[in-house]
Amino acid sequence: MRKTIKFNPLAVGVMLACGASFSYAEAALEEVTVTAQKREQSLQEVPIAVSAISETQLIENGITDMTEIQKMSPNTTLQVSRGTNSTLTAFIRGIGQQDPLWGYEPGVGIYIDDVYVARPQGAVMDVFDVERIEVLRGPQGTLYGKNTIGGAVKYVTQKMTGDTEISIGSALGSYNQRDLKLKASTGLTENLNIGAAVASFNRDGFGENIRTGEDQYNKDILAARVSLEYSPTDSLFFRLAADKTTDKSASRHGHRLGIGANGEPVLDNVYDTESNLPSDNLVETSGMSFTAEWELSDSITVKSVTASREGKTETVIDFDSVSTASFDVPAIYDDEQLSQEVQLIWQGENADLVSGIYYYDGTAAGAYDAVIGGGTTAVNGSVDTQSLSAYAHYNWQFADQWNLNLGGRYTRDDKEADVYNATLIGQGSDFSHDKYYSDTPESVLNTLRTDYTNSDSWGEFTPRVGVDYQVNNDVMLYASYSTGFKSGGFDMRGVETANPNTRNGYAPETVDTVEFGWKLDMLSNRLRLNGALFRADYTDMQLTTQRLLPDNTTVGDVLNAGKSRIQGIELEASLALTDNLSANANLGWVDAEFIEYMSGSTNIADTRDMQNTPDTTAMVQLNWSLPMAGGEMVIVPSASYRSDTQIFEYPSALDQEGYTLVDLTATYYSADGNWNLGLQGKNLTDEEYRIAGYVFGGAFDTAFYGAPRTIALTGSYNF
């Protein structure tokens, strides 16, 4: 039989309204362990807003990639970025980064175990070989560092048991979905374990290029992970791990919202295109890590995490979705990173400490061409970053039921950037001409607009102070003040001839957040109700403003031109009605308002709103288990809601009205626990909804959409 962990969200009001009686229920919710504070703790003891989604929940909710986690966490946006298949756009509580251009920093940190993933390319990870996924909301600057001012998402993999375990899983579904997962681990000796997992995800497109018949919105991904774990003594643990993902899904082009550049009509199917560009697309990401843990004593543990990651992207974006080079953008990205973290964890009788030193060395490089008719704007460059930080987080039980949390982190960032921007006569620069425009003459330089190398450094201290009160074994209240910052940088698109100050770069942005929260277990541990009230003051916001130049090209300036106030509430609840029936739900409400948005000397805050931040997110689901044929059938109906969403800070044709997605899954577990079989229905009402896009006016307004209705038959077998 399966082991079910149910701890999610808030259907309490729904159940109470239905007149549910709890007097007969013997069911109880299980304890949930998280590592949100870089050590194992019960979810109910962690004084921060965190959601944890277990492997069982991932299976029973039919969650296949990182973006579907957004419905399980309030005030969270995780979407596939515009014009891509596996680049992640992440926002939490109104803070994030939509533009995946090299050199720009994210506002939500992504982690594989304890390793920071610096670039969003390839971050839409498919779910396999995972123990749980944690979503930490609010600034995590003390323990996790820069670029977590909105929060962090942690992908936690499983440790091996030493037993020989082999499993195979597959899925067959709509649009010729064909997924296969293989996983195996065994003990080579009493203290040495080896494991590997490989997964192939394939699906035909939701649409097609009507000129060539090639797929649009298809899936062609191969991912693998291997690990070696060694425990020579009870106090020593070592893990060597490596992973690689190759995404060959077709390049994705947007749906034109208006008449094309040559008078082409709007296509009926929002997933179709008529692009002149080929469908070739490649995203490769890989990484290695070495983790060493040494328990020096019952109270002191030293941990080291050494990691490297690299990624490569070759893609094309057709901004006009027509059969001529009206607005083509071929692009390449190349990045690599090396990080080293050393932690000291101390546990005393009434206090504990997590401290460490973190070093990061990374390079993000790339190039793209904006080919418009017979001309090209060529942009390329790179950013080298070195970052060093030291941190400490101290928790002191100063009275029987009271804890004081004190933390701080100092980070020093050094960056050096090379930036090049020129206009060319002809189609394509050196990197793209032969591949896409070889039937036209070679391009020649028209105007050199930017060509500089510059460097800068920033230092930032991010403190945290909090207090929590354990009212009794079932109730914990907390209050905290925390800060976070996103690193400064240089505008890779900067046009120095139009804005000479672009070579000076832009400064970090910061956020100060006050949070009041609670963790409640009630009704003899059958009802769990967690929540938080928060207010954030967001300053020196890095905003991109667009201008039209006399040569009819556009320039975007990145400026520290914004201030905003963000406040809201988050509720998560679980209710165990009986041994066989539970309800989960969450609710997020956020009021995000610009206080200042400077355009030159004019404050235009009244005309701007926070992007990718619906004011209301909600999810409600039931989890019903039934004895069947000697095993157990688990049925999970769910509905998730997102209110009106503005894709950019300014209103546009892309803005999405509120919508609800309805899902239904049924999973059968065999009596011996060796196999399961599931039927998963996603977006059953076939809701059409936009998740991203580009707005350049008229023929160049294009949108990207979430998946239509899909049905899949899934299964797995443990040997």
Side-chain angles (χ1 to χ4, degrees):
M1 301 290 284
R2 68 183 186 125
K3 181 180 180 182
T4 304
I5 299 177
K6 309 181 184 76
F7 52 84
N8 243 11
L10 160 108
V12 181
V14 175
M15 292 296 110
L16 291 177
C18 293
S21 172
F22 310 107
S23 60
Y24 64 90
E26 297 179 357
L29 300 169
E30 297 189 20
E31 183 179 4
V32 179
T33 299
V34 296
T35 54
Q37 296 191 133
K38 295 200 172 183
R39 58 190 176 91
E40 290 191 350
Q41 294 175 281
S42 167
L43 176 72
Q44 298 306 98
E45 296 176 354
V46 179
I48 61 175
V50 55
S51 301
I53 301 92
S54 69
E55 181 185 26
T56 300
Q57 287 183 300
L58 294 169
I59 293 172
E60 294 177 359
N61 282 273
I63 292 175
T64 57
D65 67 50
M66 185 74 81
T67 63
E68 295 184 81
I69 295 298
Q70 71 173 13
K71 69 182 181 183
M72 309 292 285
S73 175
N75 292 330
T76 300
T77 296
L78 300 171
Q79 300 281 19
V80 179
S81 295
R82 56 201 185 188
T84 76
N85 299 290
S86 54
T87 299
L88 183 68
T89 293
F91 280 75
I92 296 179
R93 293 181 177 177
I95 301 174
Q97 172 60 265
Q98 178 169 202
D99 199 334
L101 192 70
W102 71 92
Y104 289 175
E105 305 282 5
V108 175
I110 305 298
Y111 293 81
I112 301 176
D113 291 324
D114 290 317
V115 179
Y116 172 60
V117 179
R119 303 294 302 136
Q121 281 77 21
V124 180
M125 292 176 282
D126 289 275
V127 173
F128 75 107
D129 190 28
V130 62
E131 180 177 309
R132 68 181 177 276
I133 295 175
E134 300 177 11
V135 182
L136 289 61
R137 295 183 296 277
Q140 307 297 320
T142 297
L143 285 174
Y144 291 89
K146 65 172 184 172
N147 304 338
T148 58
I149 56 175
V153 180
K154 295 183 63 176
Y155 190 102
V156 183
T157 61
Q158 297 173 331
K159 282 188 176 182
M160 288 176 278
T161 63
D163 297 330
T164 298
E165 300 176 346
I166 302 173
S167 66
I168 180 171
S170 64
L172 299 173
S174 305
Y175 301 94
N176 198 23
Q177 178 185 351
R178 311 169 309 283
D179 297 343
L180 181 64
K181 303 178 186 179
L182 299 172
K183 180 181 175 183
S185 64
T186 190
L188 298 177
T189 69
E190 183 179 353
N191 300 318
L192 180 63
N193 303 324
I194 188 171
V198 62
S200 172
F201 303 95
N202 290 272
R203 186 196 64 231
D204 293 346
F206 301 143
E208 66 174 3
N209 187 329
I210 64 174
R211 293 184 60 249
T212 66
E214 295 177 318
D215 278 337
Q216 269 265 92
Y217 289 82
N218 74 326
K219 198 167 189 178
D220 183 0
I221 295 175
L222 182 64
R225 182 177 295 117
V226 61
S227 58
L228 191 68
E229 296 177 354
Y230 180 50
S231 302
T233 68
D234 291 340
S235 61
L236 285 172
F237 172 79
F238 302 97
R239 173 195 271 179
L240 178 65
D243 66 88
K244 183 172 183 178
T245 300
T246 301
D247 180 4
K248 295 183 179 180
S249 310
S251 53
R252 187 176 294 187
H253 308 303
H255 171 69
R256 260 187 299 103
L257 301 180
I259 300 299
N262 307 306
E264 295 89 346
V266 176
L267 300 179
D268 293 334
N269 186 345
V270 297
Y271 302 105
D272 283 349
T273 184
E274 50 185 325
S275 173
N276 61 291
L277 292 169
S279 61
D280 295 345
N281 183 71
L282 176 65
V283 180
E284 291 183 321
T285 59
S286 61
M288 294 186 65
S289 64
F290 178 69
T291 302
E293 293 184 47
W294 183 16
E295 294 184 8
L296 296 175
S297 67
D298 291 340
S299 59
I300 298 177
T301 299
V302 176
K303 184 176 182 179
S304 170
V305 181
T306 307
S308 65
R309 297 199 65 80
E310 60 182 23
K312 180 180 180 181
T313 299
E314 298 178 6
T315 191
V316 289
I317 305 171
D318 192 337
F319 282 77
D320 51 79
S321 188
V322 297
S323 58
T324 58
S326 302
F327 198 164
D328 296 349
V329 181
I332 56 174
Y333 300 88
D334 195 358
D335 58 85
E336 57 185 30
Q337 65 178 76
L338 173 69
S339 61
Q340 172 64 56
E341 183 170 11
V342 178
Q343 298 175 9
L344 174 66
I345 303 171
W346 170 75
Q347 179 68 56
E349 290 186 6
N350 62 350
D352 56 72
L353 172 72
V354 177
S355 60
I357 297 174
Y358 178 80
Y359 173 75
Y360 171 90
D361 187 353
T363 299
Y368 74 82
D369 292 342
V371 181
I372 303 177
T376 298
T377 298
V379 178
N380 65 67
S382 64
V383 179
D384 296 326
T385 302
Q386 288 188 328
S387 182
L388 182 64
S389 59
Y391 64 88
H393 183 272
Y394 179 70
N395 180 60
W396 173 38
Q397 185 180 355
F398 63 89
D400 186 40
Q401 295 170 283
W402 291 88
N403 288 289
L404 177 66
N405 320 120
L406 295 174
R409 186 183 190 114
Y410 181 77
T411 302
R412 175 76 176 184
D413 269 6
D414 298 308
K415 289 191 176 184
E416 182 176 81
D418 296 312
V419 183
Y420 177 90
N421 186 307
T423 60
L424 313 177
I425 299 174
Q427 295 181 332
S429 64
D430 290 342
F431 91 88
S432 71
H433 177 273
D434 290 344
K435 186 171 183 179
Y436 302 111
Y437 308 103
S438 56
D439 57 345
T440 63
E442 293 281 349
S443 299
V444 296
L445 178 66
N446 181 30
T447 303
L448 179 62
R449 307 198 298 181
T450 307
D451 189 9
Y452 73 81
T453 297
N454 201 6
S455 61
D456 206 343
S457 300
W458 303 274
E460 196 78 29
F461 177 69
T462 51
R464 175 184 173 87
V465 58
V467 62
D468 60 80
Y469 175 55
Q470 195 73 43
V471 179
N472 53 47
N473 290 335
D474 298 325
V475 179
M476 189 264 280
L477 308 175
Y478 70 89
S480 66
Y481 165 80
S482 59
T483 66
F485 86 105
K486 186 166 76 173
S487 182
F490 297 89
D491 183 5
M492 293 294 103
R493 298 191 186 92
V495 178
E496 194 173 11
T497 53
N499 177 18
N501 290 326
T502 189
R503 68 163 45 229
N504 298 325
Y506 49 88
E509 59 182 24
T510 59
V511 64
D512 300 297
T513 298
V514 176
E515 182 171 311
F516 299 93
W518 58 90
K519 304 288 179 77
L520 307 179
D521 283 337
M522 300 181 291
L523 301 176
S524 300
N525 203 30
R526 294 192 301 272
L527 171 63
R528 182 164 296 159
L529 180 60
N530 297 341
L533 296 165
F534 62 89
R535 170 172 171 149
D537 292 310
Y538 194 5
T539 57
D540 294 323
M541 293 177 64
Q542 299 163 3
L543 301 174
T544 300
T545 60
Q546 296 285 339
R547 290 184 291 145
L548 183 67
L549 300 180
D551 62 359
N552 289 323
T553 64
T554 60
V555 57
D557 301 318
V558 180
L559 307 172
N560 296 101
K563 296 180 181 179
S564 64
R565 183 202 65 223
I566 307 170
Q567 56 191 3
I569 185 171
E570 293 159 352
L571 298 171
E572 298 180 277
S574 291
L575 180 63
L577 288 166
T578 70
D579 285 337
N580 299 325
L581 179 64
S582 65
N584 303 310
N586 66 56
L587 174 66
W589 175 81
V590 63
D591 175 24
E593 179 184 7
F594 277 107
I595 305 300
E596 182 177 281
Y597 193 119
M598 300 305 298
S599 177
S601 59
T602 305
N603 184 5
I604 58 173
D606 290 343
T607 67
R608 296 294 187 265
D609 286 299
M610 303 291 278
Q611 60 175 290
N612 287 300
T613 306
D615 59 22
T616 304
T617 61
M619 186 276 289
V620 61
Q621 67 177 199
L622 296 176
N623 188 297
W624 186 24
S625 60
L626 298 169
M628 183 178 293
E632 183 180 28
M633 176 70 77
V634 180
I635 301 172
V636 181
S638 66
S640 56
Y641 171 75
R642 299 176 71 81
S643 62
D644 296 355
T645 303
Q646 196 162 293
I647 303 298
F648 295 103
E649 286 96 348
Y650 50 87
S652 73
L654 294 178
D655 295 344
Q656 174 63 48
E657 295 181 353
Y659 63 93
T660 299
L661 299 181
V662 178
D663 302 332
L664 176 64
T665 68
T667 308
Y668 176 78
Y669 296 87
S670 66
D672 57 13
N674 287 336
W675 59 272
N676 66 68
L677 189 66
L679 185 63
Q680 301 174 352
K682 313 297 277 297
N683 188 11
L684 292 177
T685 60
D686 205 20
E687 188 76 25
E688 186 178 284
Y689 58 101
R690 290 181 290 275
I691 58 174
Y694 297 96
V695 180
F696 289 100
F700 307 116
D701 289 350
T702 55
F704 299 87
Y705 291 79
R709 177 173 51 237
T710 58
I711 307 293
L713 178 67
T714 67
S716 68
Y717 187 84
N718 301 317
F719 293 90

